[in-house]
């Protein structure tokens, strides 16, 4: 039976790997106005444990980040859990806004770097019910800032400065219930709130003329997420995650100004926009190969063809294709004697293929991920990195993320499934 | 004991659910927009009293009826108040039509009162739908990014290609010159709205075919609104990775005459393209001229307050210099009378700078018709350059209206050979066209446009 299960798992893994090889295509151009940095495809925050093992999080009991990926997994956590994940991100962009679209040309890709808190969350179990709470940084809208100067005969004639910042935070509340030893269900209600702010400031020194283009958008949204977790036997586990389509509301304000010695002209605008977000459906599996080794495989489908976006009152054309993000990972655990105590030290290795939705460019990132950690029954510190190489855009964009996660499980107790994580 | 635990869990679930519902209510506007209807009342109705009693939004006046936008819930009350009206909603747009929401949506996006491509398309469709006896909307081509290039034909028989002179009023070759879209659009709107109550307008529309092409460069305009206000060219991705061809250097006459009046460098603001009419946007204008009897034209630009006539590619007079100069000066005088703003008239190459491959040289050079470039206000960079305040749109339109009407009137007189334009008529219309275009032009009456689009 064990051998059979393993064979089935490996066969599915092989099929998916072949499928993604066929789907893998290349392309940049994903940096439209509303594009999040790195990837359009967001399921849940990537803690170090998840990042290291190929982004797999639908069938894998990690931490309270399950609020955003598969709330059913909360039932399988220890009775109380707390998790905190900061990360460092490097994302390359080539074409965005007025950069490399005709106004400002760069000799190569530009890199946006930032530190951020990806996730903070906790969970508490009472009987068969588990409550989860969490906050996550789901999207970052920052862009590399730019300052351009036209200098002739040591005199500055024209100066252009552009910057863009912004993010989307998600606040989730989940309730999960373990129905029996094999099956758990969970539902999350996620409130989203964020902003995008951008500014262009241009100055012509000879004429003393200034142009300012400033835009501010406030984003809010509300989505529901349902999850399921089931174990076929002691070795094979499956998870399902479903986010139905939902709408984000965006309130925008803009000011376009022209200032000279003789005049000041301002055009202001307000808008109430809507962004129709796609259905997200994820399926994941976990295979316990032996006491030290586990393998994960998951695929997440994003129905981007149904995506629509209005910007300051006008529907913008978005030729999007549906995408699938596929991840696979391994976790190998050993023990280590340190300070007179036995510590668990996991090692993660993963691979992920992340298609981007813009049909024109057919951009895809391929990620290699790895990480490690140290912990005992009460706390665990994990660190991982993911290095992604993009193809399809012709620009060979790169993306890197380093995540550090602290998990605390005060008063560890066995969960209903008898599993200690 | 067990029952007590369940009770607590249920209570907790209830509190959480309530919290979530409340949270969603605070962010979601649950009230949908009120359903609207368009009603038509007789022009003699006492609208003053009606408007004091109900929130109404006047939509248009076609000379016989007044059309008002009103919330559906007021219809019965208006009827009970003794007003007689007919429901005309379906005549404009059906609620399921894609443009419906957009039509009702308040203006004021990034570009304020100026029109974007979508707003223009919606406005042109509404005009054509509102005046079916006077206007017909055509798609004369498509841009690189597949946006329509619209031409609104205004005439007493818009569905027929009559033996009448055509006058083309063209705007927004250059993306950043937003005002150049507004002026021809408002002129077209003025002609339609005043046909039934202004005898001069009626006479012009009856005797001519007026072609309003407000937006030659839709892709560039969208880039100018969304990304960089000062974008000028279209959105061609050139071989060197730069973007854009200057559409007003891409016409065939004098194309690439020198590298002063246009540039062979793709990243130049005045890049002329790889060949004459290499761009679909200029090709659309060419199609319009090939298939219709255009006898006079104005291309609106900004800024400088100038009225320019050929030649632009070389600083030499055309053989019609005196006539073109006279027409330009007459138009400048008419403009001055409205707001006291001075537009200088003169030959393009000497008054502004040399330009080769521009629209005006081509229209005159190939078709031998009077063609003008009007550089709209302001006069210089310090007073706004490519910027005009939203409240300046109407004054700029108002001052340009008499000049446009004057040229239409001249085209009619010239075409029919009446009054003191008789000599001009002979000069312009009995003369052979440039050889390269001759064969194409011969076949133009009645020729159909590709992608014709009616209301």
């Amino acid at each position: 039976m064990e051998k059979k299960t393993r064979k089935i798992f490996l066969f599915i893994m092989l099929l998916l790997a072949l499928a993604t090889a066929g789907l893998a295509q290349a392309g940049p151009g994903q940096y439209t106005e509303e594009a999040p940095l790195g990837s359009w495809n967001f399921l849940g925050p990537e803690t170090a444990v998840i990042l290291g093992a190929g982004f797999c999080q639908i069938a894998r009991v990690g931490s309270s980040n399950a609020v955003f990926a598969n709330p059913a997994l909360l039932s399988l956590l220890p009775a109380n859990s707390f998790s905190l994940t900061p990360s460092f991100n490097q994302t390359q962009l080539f074409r965005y806004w007025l950069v490399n679209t005709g106004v400002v040309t760069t000799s190569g890709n530009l890199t946006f770097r930032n530190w951020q808190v990806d996730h903070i969350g906790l969970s508490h179990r009472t009987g068969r019910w588990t409550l989860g709470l969490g906050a996550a940084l789901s999207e970052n809208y920052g862009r590399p800032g730019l300052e351009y100067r036209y200098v002739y005969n040591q005199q500055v004639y024209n100066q252009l400065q552009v910057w863009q910042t912004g993010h989307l935070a998600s606040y989730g509340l989940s309730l999960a219930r373990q129905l029996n030893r094999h099956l758990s269900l969970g539902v999350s209600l996620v409130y989203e709130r964020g902003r995008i702010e951008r500014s262009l400031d241009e100055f012509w020194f000879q004429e003393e003329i200034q142009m300012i283009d400033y835009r501010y958008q406030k984003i809010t949204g509300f989505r529901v997420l349902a999850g399921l977790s089931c174990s076929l036997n002691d070795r094979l586990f499956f998870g399902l995650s479903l986010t139905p389509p939902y709408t984000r509301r965006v309130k925008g304000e803009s000011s376009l100004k022209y200032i000279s010695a003789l005049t000041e002209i301002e055009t202001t605008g307000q808008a109430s926009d809507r962004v129709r977000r796609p259905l997200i459906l994820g399926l994941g599996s976990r295979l316990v190969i032996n006491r030290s080794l586990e393998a994960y495989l998951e695929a997440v489908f994003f129905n981007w063809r149904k995506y629509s976006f209005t910007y300051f009152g006008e529907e913008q054309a978005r030729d999007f294709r549906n995408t699938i993000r596929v991840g696979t990972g391994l976790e190998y655990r050993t023990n280590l004697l340190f300070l007179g105590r036995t510590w668990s030290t996991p090692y993660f290795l993963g691979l992920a293929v992340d298609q981007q939705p813009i049909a024109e460019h057919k951009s895809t990132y391929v990620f290699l991920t790895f990480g490690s950690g140290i912990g005992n029954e009460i706390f665990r510190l994990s660190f991982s990195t993911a290095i992604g190489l993009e193809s399809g855009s012709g620009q060979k964009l790169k993306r890197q993320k380093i995540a550090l996660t602290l998990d605390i499980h005060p008063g560890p107790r066995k969960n209903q499934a008898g599993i200690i994580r | 004991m067990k029952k007590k635990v369940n009770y607590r869990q249920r209570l907790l679930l209830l509190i959480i659910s309530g919290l979530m519902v409340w949270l969603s209510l605070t962010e979601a506007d649950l009230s949908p927009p009120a359903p609207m209807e368009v009603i038509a009342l007789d022009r003699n109705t006492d609208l003053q009293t009606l408007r004091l009693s109900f929130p109404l939004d006047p939509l248009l006046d076609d000379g016989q009826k007044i059309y008002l936008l009103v919330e559906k819930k007021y219809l019965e009350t208006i009827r009970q108040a003794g007003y007689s009206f007919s429901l005309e909603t379906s005549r404009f747009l059906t609620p399921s039509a894609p443009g419906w929401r957009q039509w009702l949506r308040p203006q004021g996006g990034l570009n304020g009162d100026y029109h974007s491509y979508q707003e223009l398309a919606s406005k042109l469709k509404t005009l054509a739908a509102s005046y079916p006896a006077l206007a017909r909307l055509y798609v004369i081509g498509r841009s690189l990014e597949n946006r329509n290039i619209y031409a609104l034909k205004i005439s007493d028989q818009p569905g027929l290609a009559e033996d009448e002179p055509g006058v083309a009023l063209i705007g927004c070759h250059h993306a950043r010159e937003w005002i150049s879209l507004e002026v021809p659009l408002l002129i077209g709107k003025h002609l339609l709205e005043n046909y039934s109550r202004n005898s001069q307008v009626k006479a012009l529309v009856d005797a001519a075919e007026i072609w309003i092409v407000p937006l030659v460069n839709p892709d560039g305009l969208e880039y100018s609104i969304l990304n960089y206000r000062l974008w000028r060219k279209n959105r061609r991705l050139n071989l060197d990775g730069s973007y854009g061809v200057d559409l007003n250097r891409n016409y065939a006459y004098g194309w690439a005459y020198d590298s002063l009046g246009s540039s062979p460098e793709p990243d130049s603001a005045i890049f002329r393209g790889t060949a004459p009419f290499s761009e679909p946007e200029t090709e659309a204008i060419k199609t319009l001229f090939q298939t219709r009897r255009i006898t006079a034209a104005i291309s609106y630009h900004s800024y400088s307050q100038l009225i320019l006539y050929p030649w632009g590619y070389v600083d030499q007079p055309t053989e019609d210099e005196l006539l073109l100069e006279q027409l330009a000066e007459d138009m400048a005088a008419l403009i001055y009378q409205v707001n006291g703003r001075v537009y200088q008239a003169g030959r393009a190459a000497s008054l502004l700078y040399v330009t080769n491959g521009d629209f005006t040289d081509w229209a005159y050079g190939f078709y031998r018709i009077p063609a003008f470039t009007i550089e709209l206000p302001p006069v210089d960079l310090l007073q706004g350059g490519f910027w005009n305040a939203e409240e300046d749109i109407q004054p700029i339109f108002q001052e340009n209206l008499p000049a446009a009407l004057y040229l239409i009137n001249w085209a009619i007189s010239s075409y029919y050979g009446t009054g003191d334009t008789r000599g001009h008529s002979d000069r312009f219309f009995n003369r052979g066209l440039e050889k390269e275009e001759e064969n194409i032009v011969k076949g133009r009456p009645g020729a159909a446009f590709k992608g014709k689009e009616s209301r």
Side-chain angles (χ1 to χ4, degrees), chain A residues 252-299:
Chain A
E253 288 181 8
S254 68
S255 164
L256 183 62
K257 258 188 198 172
Y258 181 88
I259 305 161
S260 76
L262 295 181
T263 190
E264 180 172 331
I265 298 166
E266 183 177 17
T267 303
T268 57
Q270 292 87 37
S272 186
D273 296 315
R274 283 165 191 270
V275 181
R276 188 71 179 151
R277 302 285 302 176
L279 171 142
I280 305 169
L281 181 64
L283 181 65
S285 62
R286 175 165 71 98
L287 176 69
V288 179
I289 297 167
N290 57 44
R291 279 178 62 87
S292 304
L293 187 63
E294 291 187 4
Y296 312 102
L297 176 67
E298 78 174 38

Side-chain angles (χ1 to χ4, degrees), chain A residues 97 101-102 129 173 175 189 191 198 202 204 211 215 220 249 258 260 263 269-270 311 313-316, chain B residues 9 13 16 20 27 29 105 108-110 116 118 223 225-228 230-231 235 243 381-382 384 387:
Chain A
W97 192 359
T101 61
W129 292 92
L173 178 63
L175 203 58
L189 300 168
Y191 172 64
R198 82 183 207 181
E202 189 161 15
W204 292 267
M211 175 179 86
R215 299 173 200 179
T220 52
R249 294 162 58 82
Y258 181 88
S260 76
T263 190
Q270 292 87 37
Y311 187 64
E314 293 212 355
E315 181 114 16
Q316 301 295 317
Chain B
Q9 286 169 349
L13 190 63
I16 292 163
M20 284 297 152
E27 289 303 322
D29 179 8
R105 195 191 60 228
L110 292 169
S116 65
Q118 284 182 25
Y223 188 84
I225 294 169
L226 292 174
N227 295 295
Y228 185 61
L230 288 176
W231 186 253
R235 293 297 298 159
Y243 281 83
L381 271 175
L382 283 178
W387 266 259

Side-chain angles (χ1 to χ4, degrees), chain A residues 80-238:
Chain A
N80 297 299
S81 78
F82 168 81
S83 179
L84 173 69
T85 303
S87 72
F88 173 72
N89 297 269
Q90 286 196 119
T91 307
Q92 284 192 337
L93 301 86
F94 180 70
R95 195 170 289 131
Y96 63 96
W97 192 359
L98 43 65
V99 178
N100 293 315
T101 61
V103 182
V104 178
T105 313
T106 65
S107 54
N109 298 332
L110 298 175
T111 305
F112 184 89
R113 297 181 180 89
N114 74 305
W115 285 95
Q116 63 189 38
V117 176
D118 279 44
H119 170 251
I120 183 166
L122 50 88
S123 70
H124 171 71
R125 195 177 63 245
T126 307
R128 286 179 176 271
W129 292 92
T130 307
L131 182 71
L133 276 172
L137 188 75
S138 35
E139 294 183 357
N140 188 324
Y141 306 112
R143 302 284 186 268
L146 210 78
E147 181 166 329
Y148 164 85
R149 284 180 177 202
Y150 177 67
V151 183
Y152 184 72
N153 277 345
Q154 296 181 327
Q155 199 168 2
V156 181
Y157 281 81
N158 174 234
Q159 178 178 292
L160 173 73
Q161 290 175 308
V162 293
W163 56 263
Q164 178 175 318
T165 62
H167 67 269
L168 185 79
S170 299
Y171 305 93
L173 178 63
S174 300
L175 203 58
R177 179 173 168 83
Q178 187 152 24
L179 300 178
N180 56 47
R181 196 168 182 276
H182 298 287
L183 192 64
S184 298
L185 293 174
V187 63
S188 295
L189 300 168
V190 180
Y191 172 64
E192 297 178 325
R193 188 182 182 88
R195 63 169 182 88
I196 303 178
E197 190 176 5
R198 82 183 207 181
S199 168
L200 180 156
D201 192 340
E202 189 161 15
F203 198 81
W204 292 267
F205 288 87
Q206 298 296 303
E207 300 86 358
E208 294 190 335
I209 289 171
Q210 187 177 17
M211 175 179 86
I212 301 167
D213 184 350
Y214 175 79
R215 299 173 200 179
Y216 182 87
Q217 292 173 284
K218 182 183 154 192
I219 309 162
T220 52
F222 198 73
R223 68 185 159 100
V224 177
L225 165 71
L228 175 149
S229 169
C230 77
S231 60
L232 293 187
N233 52 44
D234 287 346
R235 292 188 173 272
L236 191 56
F237 302 82
F238 285 98

Side-chain angles (χ1 to χ4, degrees), chain A residues 32-35 40 217 219 245-250 272-279 303-322 357, chain B residues 101 118:
Chain A
T32 53
E33 288 85 352
E34 79 281 26
W40 283 86
Q217 292 173 284
I219 309 162
Y246 68 102
T247 301
R248 280 183 191 160
R249 294 162 58 82
V250 183
S272 186
D273 296 315
R274 283 165 191 270
V275 181
R276 188 71 179 151
R277 302 285 302 176
L279 171 142
N303 187 208
W304 284 113
R305 276 192 192 167
K306 299 283 183 189
Y307 174 77
S308 70
F309 171 71
T310 57
Y311 187 64
F312 280 91
E314 293 212 355
E315 181 114 16
Q316 301 295 317
R318 294 286 182 261
D319 183 16
F320 276 12
R321 58 177 178 155
N322 294 334
Chain B
R101 274 176 296 170
Q118 284 182 25

Side-chain angles (χ1 to χ4, degrees), chain A residues 356-396:
Chain A
Q356 298 302 302
I358 293 183
E360 186 188 348
H361 300 287
K362 295 187 172 58
S363 178
T364 299
Y365 284 90
V366 176
F367 285 93
L368 178 66
T369 71
F370 50 91
S372 184
I374 187 165
N376 57 30
E377 289 183 337
I378 297 175
F379 89 96
R380 181 173 62 191
L381 192 64
S382 313
F383 44 92
S384 292
T385 187
I387 299 166
L389 299 174
E390 181 267 351
S391 59
S393 69
Q395 298 303 323
K396 297 181 179 171

Side-chain angles (χ1 to χ4, degrees), chain B residues 57-83:
Chain B
D57 186 7
L59 208 55
L60 67 96
D61 175 356
D62 70 358
Q64 294 165 341
K65 287 182 175 179
I66 305 286
Y67 294 82
L68 304 160
L69 195 60
V70 59
E71 280 184 44
K72 199 173 180 177
K73 64 183 178 186
Y74 292 119
L75 292 181
E76 198 48 44
T77 325
I78 293 171
R79 205 186 302 274
Q80 284 168 3
Y83 291 97

